[in-house]
Amino acid sequence: MAKAAWVFPGQGSQAIGMGADLATVPLAQERFAEAESVLGWSVLEVVQADDDKVSNTLYTQPCLYVIESILVDLLQDRGHQPAVVAGHSLGEYVALYAAQVFDFAAGLTLVQRRAELMAQASDGMMAAMLGFDADDLAAKLEATPGVVLANDNNPGQVVISGTPEAVTAVMESVKAKRAVKLNVSGAFHSPLMAEAAALFQPVLESIAFATARVPVLSNVDPIPATDGAVLKQRLVQQMTGSVRWREITLALPELGIDTVVEVGPGNVLTGLTKRTCKDLALVNVGNLEQVEGFTN
């Protein structure tokens, strides 16, 4: 039997219509209703809106959390369990839910407040860089105040974050195959999110974190952990800290993992994994048909 890591994508993987097929399942119907009571709006209505409302940070994060959590519920209801879990940025909240660190409503309460604070963060800029010299990029980041490595996704793809001037300066000075400004409201995963992180902390402190049922590899620390206090502290650091996804991926084979299951819309994380650890088997579970066909 495969030893699987379940991984959960974050903002950027959303798509109009995602999760709508789940609404035929009673378990999912209960979750959508519970989500509406927490959020005050309908996830199903937002994801099916033609104006791409689902790509507004305020809605993106709660919608991804709800849909990915429902996919977790459906998989676990069929007897499937991961050996370890990890999530990319927002996806870490689903990883913690899958590991039973908190319940569905508690996680959604955290995600809704996180989304509100991040949507209000209008200062700063983020850019994706592909095909670059890692040493050159590291040197330029070190020499340029106001910009940091926000997402270390794989050896050939990163995201930098900081003030518009600093991010632009690095984009223009580092030779890369592609450098693209991201359509986000602020400099996520950088020190510029310190104020938002400080406002978020009281909400985070109000939620009890249980011992995880399976190890969690956190964005800011890829060492597996199950202690609730440790996992909460790592989440405190997540808003201003880098997403160390490349290190998370490299840690999986060392933990005996042979299969990576991306639970959520799209295939961003399996795509990143393919370029980092070529020997890992890759599976995507992003809709009802894929849940029903899942055999690991």
Side-chain angles (χ1 to χ4, degrees), residues 200-278:
F200 182 61
Q201 186 151 354
V203 187
L204 189 57
E205 292 301 334
S206 72
I207 302 293
F209 276 42
T211 300
R213 297 291 182 90
V214 296
V216 181
L217 282 69
S218 301
N219 286 191
V220 300
D221 191 340
I223 297 172
T226 56
D227 182 86
V230 170
L231 294 170
K232 180 180 283 192
Q233 182 55 38
R234 290 178 176 180
L235 213 52
V236 168
Q237 299 167 347
Q238 197 222 60
M239 203 178 280
T240 55
S242 296
V243 176
R244 296 163 61 181
W245 196 257
R246 177 180 57 86
E247 294 174 71
I248 287 173
T249 306
L250 290 170
L252 297 179
E254 296 177 15
L255 297 171
I257 298 299
D258 53 30
T259 303
V260 170
V261 182
E262 182 171 4
V263 182
N267 54 9
V268 169
L269 299 184
T270 48
L272 294 176
T273 303
K274 187 176 185 177
R275 290 186 283 275
T276 306
C277 291
K278 293 180 169 58

Side-chain angles (χ1 to χ4, degrees), residues 112-165:
Q112 183 179 29
R113 184 60 180 143
R114 181 183 191 266
E116 290 168 352
L117 290 168
M118 292 177 79
Q120 293 165 11
S122 57
D123 293 334
M125 172 177 159
M126 300 181 78
M129 303 193 68
L130 294 86
F132 50 85
D133 180 275
D135 291 336
D136 183 32
L137 176 61
K140 293 297 194 312
L141 288 172
E142 182 70 26
T144 311
V147 59
V148 296
L149 183 66
N151 297 353
D152 181 9
N153 287 328
N154 72 20
Q157 182 186 335
V158 300
V159 174
I160 60 174
S161 182
T163 66
E165 298 79 12

